Amino acid sequence: MLYKLAKHFELVVYTNSVHAYAKKVCELLDPENRGIFSHLLTREHTLPYKNSAPTYKHLKILREGRDHKSILIVDNKESVCIQSLYNCVPIIDFD
């Protein structure tokens, strides 16, 4: 399914995880290394929420050269979408 989506959309992994963990997940999702993800953004790319501990994924990191109306975040934590409510689709945790 991800291979089909990658033919029509730019797929970006944006996670609160550390880079090493996120890279392993991407390797599991793309075992043939076909390059389905154009970018891997990790905890280092999140922003603090009002200078406190929780961080969020802000679309401004993805906006350069992109229409923000065409960006969709799918995430299991609503809190990471604080600044991007209209672009966020909350999902349940994967067990």
Side-chain angles (χ1 to χ4, degrees):
M1 174 71 111
L2 289 175
Y3 295 118
K4 290 181 182 179
L5 288 171
K7 290 180 182 178
H8 303 283
F9 303 98
E10 177 183 19
L11 303 182
V12 176
V13 173
Y14 196 173
T15 178
N16 276 330
S17 298
V18 295
H19 185 80
Y21 177 81
K23 186 173 178 175
K24 288 287 186 189
V25 170
C26 288
E27 290 171 1
L28 290 171
L29 293 171
D30 186 12
E32 297 173 20
N33 196 24
R34 293 167 64 180
I36 60 174
F37 302 111
S38 61
H39 299 288
L40 172 58
L41 303 173
T42 59
R43 181 176 295 161
E44 294 80 23
H45 301 100
T46 60
L47 300 173
Y49 179 66
K50 295 184 180 179
N51 299 318
S52 64
T55 61
Y56 65 94
K57 300 168 188 169
H58 201 295
L59 290 184
K60 76 178 185 178
I61 198 165
L62 295 171
R63 284 191 182 143
E64 189 171 325
R66 296 174 183 89
D67 178 1
H68 75 279
K69 294 177 185 173
S70 67
I71 298 172
L72 178 67
I73 296 174
V74 178
D75 205 293
N76 64 326
K77 297 189 186 302
E78 290 182 50
S79 61
V80 299
C81 297
I82 292 168
Q83 299 296 319
S84 307
L85 294 175
Y86 296 106
N87 300 83
C88 188
V89 175
I91 59 171
I92 60 172
D93 288 342
F94 179 76
D95 293 323

